[in-house]
Amino acid sequence: MNQVALAFWSNFYDNIFDHPERPSKDVVDNDELLDQWVEEQAKKMEERTNKNAQGGKTSSAYDHEEVITFEQFDEGINEES
């Protein structure tokens, strides 16, 4: 049971430290502040998900100026005998 708990909390803190909007050390060291930060991030994610589900703009490869497409090429078609 202790190994499972250790793995869970290690993964939890790894995710916190890898987050692009990583909280300050003071927040990480304070359990209550860290819980609030996690809740805020969850709300942000839910809002983004809801916005996208309601027709918000989503990004696509075709939204960019240049798009590379790949076509299947049959070598035997264009070869001269």
Side-chain angles (χ1 to χ4, degrees):
M1 195 60 121
N2 287 338
Q3 289 177 334
V4 172
L6 177 62
F8 173 82
W9 289 110
S10 295
N11 188 38
F12 177 82
Y13 282 100
D14 282 346
N15 288 331
I16 297 296
F17 287 119
D18 289 341
H19 195 278
E21 296 175 20
R22 176 182 168 183
S24 68
K25 184 177 179 340
D26 293 334
V27 172
V28 173
D29 290 342
N30 184 316
D31 291 340
E32 290 178 15
L33 291 177
L34 186 58
D35 287 344
Q36 289 174 1
W37 181 86
V38 169
E39 288 175 15
E40 289 172 6
Q41 295 305 314
K43 286 178 185 176
K44 287 180 185 179
M45 180 184 272
E46 187 174 336
E47 288 172 2
R48 283 191 297 256
T49 301
N50 290 339
K51 181 180 177 182
N52 288 338
Q54 295 173 358
K57 182 164 175 46
T58 57
S59 181
S60 167
Y62 294 101
D63 292 338
H64 302 282
E65 291 181 24
E66 296 180 13
V67 177
I68 298 173
T69 59
F70 297 93
E71 295 181 22
Q72 188 173 3
F73 180 74
D74 186 353
E75 294 179 16
I77 293 175
N78 292 330
E79 288 182 8
E80 294 182 19
S81 300

